Amino acid sequence: MRENRRRADGPVDGGLCGPLTVADVLALPVLAAGRPEVVTGAARLDRQVRWVHITELTDPASFLKGGELVLTTGMPLPDEPAQVRRYVDELADVEAAALVIELVRRYHRPPDTLVRACRNRGLPLVTLAHDVNFLEVTQVVHSLLLGNRTDALRRTQRIHEAFTALTLRGAGPEDVVRAGAEMSGRTVVLENLVHQALVCEPSGGTVEEALNGWERRSRATPSGDGAGMRGPEGWLVAPVEYQGERWGRVAMLPGRAGGSGPFAPEHVTVLERTAMALTIARLIRGAPWERTAHRSVLRDLAERRHRSPDEARARFGALGLPTGPGGFLAVLVETPAQDDTERQEIRLTEELRAAGVPALIGALTPGRVGVLLALRASRPWRTVVERLAGTALAVDPRAVLSVGSQVTDLCDAARSFREAARVAEATPPGLAPPAGRTFHEVADIGLRGLLYALRDDIRVQEYAERRLGRLVDHDTRHGTELLATLRHYLDAAGSKTAAARLGGVSRETLYQRLRAVERLLDCDLESGEQRTALHVALTALDVLRAPGTTRDSD
């Protein structure tokens, strides 16, 4: 008896138990003592045994309902070939599980006519070389079958209780699908009507194995009114409804070849309860699940949380998005009013759909919407981003768009998102893009932007204070304007005449002030390197003093 099949702890504890098969019964000590030999039908020993029937009749099929393991001493078997064939045909027609004949009393080898008939009909024929107590066989097998049924009822009850608890706590689609996969030990996938895989919970395999070529495989698998096994791959599928109409379906995939075995009745129960819980969750949760799926995949791509490049491509492609040659570009839309995040997400989705541009769109954080554009090689991205910017600014005129670099491989999308995030970090609130553009990109990051992005770094603050602190303190105590004089001098690129004009003072006054600056800062303003160092410090000070430059106020 297979140990992994005899578990009775319930579906959540390691998967569902399978039915009792012909192979299981032959392995029982009570039958193994008879040295069973499989003569025909070795490939069909996974047939389910529903009962054991001892018979010495010439027409036992009339007393059978299907799934019985038929035990006989061979005494009543007819001699005529035609009668032997009829005997086997009747057993096969009622779908008996197997015929077991004892080679002790009448036969010492199975008759050739019986072997041929069983082989022709695909009926497993098993011989026993030694005497076996058939009554003991029925007692052992029937007790196992009855015990299995009791265990099955308990498991079914636990399945119902688990899904009821999920429904009562308002679980979302990810939680429901995950529970279905854990209880069944099989991969479970939720898809919508256009065959986009929105949630995939793998079990015993990988996401890429489950979702590779998803739309093609899904379209080859027909739907039905209820749960059932369909399609060339033998998926177990059940419909998911919304407001009385079919919204999509949930699919349970078969295990790997030779792995998990066929679907059991409990698998059907799990899938039906998964579909029911999803239907209820769809009614409770107003936000479209497609949007939730896009957010999930987008965040995983942006943070490189996928296990492999193949998984990233499989998940992206399963949402109906292209993964082939072209380009991918990350765009971040910052919305000061965080309440507008969802509205931005919806409007950007509608705009790109109308433009026919495939994209992943989703809120990454409150106030920030991420967009991953999947562009054809012939389509310039700037036109698309300008269109996006127009939509975002229509929702909120204060919205800011930051763009990363275009990449050719989907798995490099994280790099494009990192660059877009750096652009966003280096863009102070209210800073307009360069003339002729409505968005910011990597090339826009200059010294001021870099220091703005690093404004919370204690080293930047210490540098500005170390270089200019004594000058600021002197101005504060004495009411002088030495910091302003230094600014004019640096802005004038070291031209004293131009600096005096910028400050509205005489050259003599400027000279005096510059000498005071050199004395206080212990520096030489004629040195280009020191002027550069002071310019960086002054820019950092400006960034730190600007309103709204702390992270808390972003």
Side-chain angles (χ1 to χ4, degrees):
M1 193 183 309
R2 297 175 306 190
E3 292 181 359
N4 64 335
R5 192 192 49 75
R6 292 295 75 172
R7 296 182 64 90
D9 297 334
V12 179
D13 191 12
L16 299 169
C17 298
L20 193 68
T21 66
V22 174
D24 291 331
V25 174
L26 296 180
L28 293 172
V30 68
L31 262 179
R35 292 177 57 190
E37 179 182 350
V38 180
V39 181
T40 67
R44 301 191 176 188
L45 297 184
D46 59 350
R47 284 183 170 182
Q48 182 176 353
V49 175
R50 295 185 176 89
W51 209 245
V52 176
H53 185 75
I54 303 172
T55 182
E56 301 299 340
L57 300 175
T58 57
D59 60 341
S62 59
F63 296 92
L64 306 181
K65 295 182 178 179
E68 290 88 356
L69 186 77
V70 179
L71 303 177
T72 179
T73 61
M75 297 298 293
L77 286 177
D79 294 321
E80 293 295 324
Q83 293 177 340
V84 172
R85 287 194 296 271
R86 185 174 66 251
Y87 181 90
V88 172
D89 285 342
E90 289 176 352
L91 290 179
D93 288 343
V94 297
E95 298 182 348
L99 173 63
V100 179
I101 180 172
E102 196 178 63
L103 302 180
V104 175
R105 293 169 176 79
R106 180 178 177 183
Y107 298 108
H108 296 288
R109 59 184 298 272
D112 293 340
T113 54
L114 179 64
V115 173
R116 285 195 298 271
C118 289
R119 183 175 292 116
N120 290 338
R121 290 304 305 268
L123 178 68
L125 173 64
V126 181
T127 61
L128 299 174
H130 298 299
D131 191 18
V132 169
N133 187 329
F134 284 173
L135 181 59
E136 187 178 352
V137 173
T138 62
Q139 289 175 335
V140 171
V141 175
H142 291 172
S143 64
L144 284 173
L145 290 171
L146 292 172
N148 269 2
R149 291 172 185 172
T150 301
D151 291 342
L153 288 173
R154 290 173 181 161
R155 291 194 299 272
T156 300
Q157 180 64 27
R158 285 197 289 271
I159 291 169
H160 288 301
E161 290 173 352
F163 279 105
T164 298
L166 285 171
T167 299
L168 289 176
R169 75 165 188 255
E174 296 88 353
D175 294 331
V176 174
V177 172
R178 186 179 304 113
E182 290 176 350
M183 293 182 195
S184 64
R186 303 295 176 93
T187 295
V188 179
V189 181
L190 170 67
E191 68 170 9
N192 60 13
L193 283 179
V194 293
H195 303 277
Q196 294 175 348
L198 305 183
V199 182
C200 173
E201 190 65 36
S203 181
T206 62
V207 172
E208 53 266 35
E209 288 174 342
L211 297 184
N212 187 36
W214 177 262
E215 182 176 350
R216 170 184 51 80
R217 295 161 57 210
S218 176
R219 290 186 181 278
T221 304
S223 297
D225 293 333
M229 195 168 70
R230 301 180 179 90
E233 296 183 36
W235 291 4
L236 192 62
V237 296
V240 177
E241 296 186 349
Y242 178 58
Q243 295 181 343
E245 296 183 356
R246 180 166 296 182
W247 172 86
R249 66 180 178 178
V250 60
M252 185 180 291
L253 308 189
R256 293 177 173 176
S260 303
F263 289 119
E266 288 102 331
H267 288 103
V268 179
T269 301
V270 169
L271 190 71
E272 289 175 337
R273 285 309 310 262
T274 301
M276 184 183 301
L278 287 168
T279 296
I280 296 172
R282 188 70 188 86
L283 288 170
I284 295 173
R285 292 175 173 249
W289 287 350
E290 288 85 355
R291 198 186 308 161
T292 304
H294 276 229
R295 287 175 185 169
S296 176
V297 176
L298 186 71
R299 290 170 181 171
D300 287 350
L301 282 171
E303 300 174 17
R304 202 183 285 274
R305 291 192 299 208
H306 42 268
R307 294 182 180 87
S308 68
D310 288 338
E311 178 182 313
R313 295 187 188 97
R315 292 183 66 190
F316 196 78
L319 289 174
L321 298 165
T323 60
F328 301 93
L329 184 76
V331 181
L332 295 178
V333 180
E334 307 283 339
T335 302
Q338 295 185 3
D339 293 343
D340 282 339
T341 304
E342 184 173 354
R343 196 154 63 97
Q344 283 281 21
E345 188 179 353
I346 295 171
R347 288 290 293 114
L348 294 173
T349 301
E350 293 172 347
E351 182 64 34
L352 290 175
R353 187 178 293 128
V357 179
L360 274 179
I361 303 175
L364 299 176
T365 59
R368 173 177 284 187
V369 177
V371 181
L372 181 61
L373 300 172
L375 300 167
R376 296 189 298 272
S378 59
R379 186 160 197 168
W381 63 263
R382 292 182 180 275
T383 304
V384 178
V385 175
E386 290 285 0
R387 186 166 180 171
L388 270 181
T391 301
L393 292 170
V395 174
D396 187 343
R398 300 169 298 168
V400 177
L401 270 74
S402 304
V403 182
S405 298
Q406 184 171 353
V407 297
T408 56
D409 193 318
L410 179 64
C411 295
D412 291 330
R415 174 163 60 86
S416 187
F417 271 109
R418 282 198 303 271
E419 292 177 351
R422 287 170 184 163
V423 174
E425 291 172 353
T427 304
L431 179 65
R437 275 202 271 122
T438 54
F439 57 88
H440 300 268
E441 56 181 313
V442 176
D444 299 336
I445 301 178
L447 175 61
R448 186 174 296 274
L450 177 63
L451 292 172
Y452 179 77
L454 299 174
R455 61 196 181 277
D456 285 344
D457 192 316
I458 192 67
R459 291 169 294 183
V460 173
Q461 298 173 13
E462 287 177 345
Y463 180 80
E465 181 64 22
R466 184 172 66 253
R467 286 287 183 175
L468 300 173
R470 282 174 292 176
L471 201 62
V472 174
D473 290 343
H474 185 278
D475 281 349
T476 302
R477 288 196 303 268
H478 302 287
T480 56
E481 297 181 353
L482 297 182
L483 187 67
T485 299
L486 177 61
R487 184 190 305 279
H488 296 149
Y489 178 71
L490 296 175
D491 288 345
S495 170
K496 295 183 175 63
T497 302
R501 187 165 52 249
L502 287 172
V505 297
S506 66
R507 289 171 58 87
E508 183 60 31
T509 301
L510 179 73
Y511 294 157
Q512 293 176 359
R513 292 182 179 180
L514 290 179
R515 285 195 293 271
V517 169
E518 287 179 322
R519 186 179 68 257
L520 286 167
L521 300 184
D522 191 21
C523 67
D524 179 8
L525 293 179
E526 296 299 322
S527 166
E529 181 179 349
Q530 293 196 32
R531 284 205 304 268
T532 300
L534 290 171
H535 178 69
V536 172
L538 188 59
T539 305
L541 187 63
D542 290 342
V543 166
L544 294 168
R545 283 180 164 184
T549 56
T550 62
R551 297 293 185 195
D552 293 338
S553 60
D554 274 353

